[in-house]
Amino acid sequence: MKTRKLLMIPGPTPVARSIQDQMGRETVAFGDPAFVKDFKDLLEDLKVLFKCSGEAFVVAGTGTMGMEMAIANTTKKGDNVLIVSHGFFGDRFIDLCNRKGLNADVISSEWGETVPVEKIREKLKEKKYAAMTVTHVDTSTGVCASVAEIGKMMKEFPETMYIVDGVCATAGEPEYVDEMGIDVLLTGSQKAFGVAPGLTMLWVSQKAMDRRKSLGTIPEFYIDFEKWLPIMKDPSKYYATPAVNLVWALKESVRIIKEEGIENRYARHKKYAAAMQDALETLGFKVLAKEGCRAVTLSNLVYPEGTDDAKFRGLLAEEGIMVAGGLAAYAGRMFRLGHMGNVDKHDLVSVIATIERALYRAGMPVELGKGVGVVQKHLME
C-alpha cells in the first residue's frame, strides 16, 4: 500500500474535498445566470470579509500577476516607488518596477527580521513616492510585517499608495483594507484560501481607483483595472474569459471561511503556528524569523548542524510529507513548511510525527514522540 502524500509546502496548500468538488463541476458559460449570481455574491463577500469599501477584483492569473496589476494601475513611468523587502518575494517588486521604468528605492531587512516602521517613515520623508510596497508575509523568510502599524504611519503620506502583497497572508493573517489604510491588497487563490492555483484577487481603495483614473490610458492591457471594473460590477459582461470552476471553488472557500468566522480563522492559524514552531524547535530546528515577527501561515526551519537537506527532504517525501526547500542564501540550509488554509489538527500531528521518523532514519538525534507531545499540549490548551 502506498503512503498517502500530504502537501505541506507554503502553497499550493491542501484543497478540501468540497472545494475540489466545485472544481469538478460541469463548466457553464460565463454568462450563465446562476454563475453570474455566484460571481456577484463572491465579490460582495470578499469586500465584506476584508472590510473594503472600494472594489474587489477576481481575475484569472497568479499572485505575481496581482503584484504587477497593483503597480500598473497606481504608477506611471518615471514615478518613485519605495519597496520594503523582507526577503526574496519582496525583492521581486524590484525587477517588476524597473521594467516599467519606475525609480525604485529599496529598504531591506536581514532575513528573519523586519524593517522598523520608523525607518520606513524616514525614507518616505526623503522624496515624493507614488507608491510603496510591503510584503505581509515573505514566503522565503517566514517574516510577517507590521501591516497595521505601517498603515497608521501611512496617514502621514496620503499621496503614496500603500500596496500590500498578501499572497502568503490573506485569510491567515489579519488584514482589513479600510481599517489598516491599505490602498491595494493582493493575493492568490492557492495559499490560505486553500484553492488550486489560478486566481489573483485584489481589494482596491477608492483612492487607488482615483489614481488609476488620473493615469489615463496605461500600457498594460489585460491587467487594467478599468478594463475589469465593468465585469466586477456586472459579471455577465465580457472582457476576458473568467476561470469559471475556480470562481466556484473560491466561493466555496469563502463559504468555509464565513462558517468558521474570519476572527476564529485568524486565531486558529495563530494557535497552529505556535504549536508547530514550538514542536520543531524542540526537535532541534531553528525558526528563521525572530520572535515577534513570525508568520502564522508557514515556518522556515534552519537545520541542525550536519543535516543533509536533499536526504532529509527525500526521506520526508518517502514518509508522506512534501515540504519546500530554502531559497537564495538559505538553499540547502533550511526547509519551508506551510500550515495554513484548511489544514487541521490531524495534519499537524501527522507532520510532526513524520518529521520525527525522517530525523530518525537520517541518523539524527531524536526522541520519538517528543515533538508530537508538544503539539498535542498546544492543541489541548
Side-chain angles (χ1 to χ4, degrees), residues 288-306:
L288 177 63
K290 293 190 174 180
E291 288 191 40
C293 65
R294 290 179 179 176
V296 301
T297 51
L298 82 158
S299 298
N300 293 28
L301 293 315
V302 180
Y303 290 120
E305 193 69 33

Side-chain angles (χ1 to χ4, degrees), residues 256-369:
I256 291 170
I257 293 170
K258 289 168 63 180
E259 184 177 83
E260 181 177 14
I262 191 72
E263 291 292 338
N264 292 335
R265 192 176 184 87
Y266 293 149
R268 173 171 61 83
H269 277 77
K270 187 175 181 179
K271 181 175 183 176
Y272 284 6
M276 295 299 278
Q277 290 163 1
D278 194 1
L280 289 159
E281 287 185 322
T282 298
L283 293 175
F285 299 97
K286 176 189 173 185
V287 179
L288 177 63
K290 293 190 174 180
E291 288 191 40
C293 65
R294 290 179 179 176
V296 301
T297 51
L298 82 158
S299 298
N300 293 28
L301 293 315
V302 180
Y303 290 120
E305 193 69 33
T307 306
D308 184 313
D309 171 55
K311 180 180 179 181
F312 176 73
R313 287 195 290 124
L315 288 170
L316 264 185
E318 286 180 19
E319 292 288 341
I321 303 294
M322 305 300 297
V323 299
L327 297 173
Y330 281 88
R333 296 173 56 194
M334 74 176 182
F335 72 97
R336 296 177 296 137
L337 177 73
H339 36 73
M340 70 186 100
N342 298 315
V343 168
D344 65 19
K345 59 186 177 183
H346 304 296
D347 298 326
L348 304 190
V349 174
S350 295
V351 168
I352 295 299
T354 305
I355 288 173
E356 289 182 354
R357 293 200 302 272
L359 286 171
Y360 183 87
R361 289 182 61 192
M364 303 294 289
V366 59
E367 181 183 333
L368 295 175

Side-chain angles (χ1 to χ4, degrees), residues 89-220:
F89 291 96
D91 288 349
R92 180 167 284 194
F93 275 109
I94 300 171
D95 191 17
L96 195 157
C97 288
N98 288 340
R99 285 168 178 261
K100 190 172 170 63
L102 300 169
N103 303 314
D105 292 337
V106 186
I107 313 179
S108 299
S109 62
E110 292 291 325
W111 279 37
E113 301 178 11
T114 56
V115 177
V117 176
E118 188 54 40
K119 186 175 180 181
I120 300 172
R121 176 187 279 112
E122 291 305 312
K123 190 67 179 177
L124 286 167
K125 288 179 179 178
E126 291 181 6
K127 64 179 77 167
K128 181 180 178 181
Y129 287 98
M132 180 184 76
T133 69
V134 177
T135 306
H136 194 169
V137 171
D138 199 299
T139 321
S140 66
T141 61
V143 163
C144 181
S146 303
V147 165
E149 188 182 353
I150 294 170
K152 289 180 182 177
M153 179 270 295
M154 289 300 291
K155 292 178 182 177
E156 302 169 29
F157 307 93
E159 74 282 0
T160 303
M161 294 292 116
Y162 180 26
I163 297 171
V164 174
D165 173 356
V167 169
C168 199
T170 310
E173 295 277 2
E175 289 175 339
Y176 295 121
V177 175
D178 294 346
E179 290 181 7
M180 296 181 179
I182 299 170
D183 290 302
V184 182
L185 170 65
L186 65 102
T187 194
S189 54
Q190 77 278 17
K191 301 277 189 173
F193 280 90
V195 177
L199 291 177
T200 188
M201 297 92 83
L202 299 96
W203 293 259
V204 184
S205 71
Q206 187 55 53
K207 186 171 78 171
M209 293 302 297
D210 292 342
R211 169 68 65 82
R212 167 62 196 93
K213 188 172 288 293
S214 73
L215 297 176
T217 302
I218 63 174
E220 294 82 5

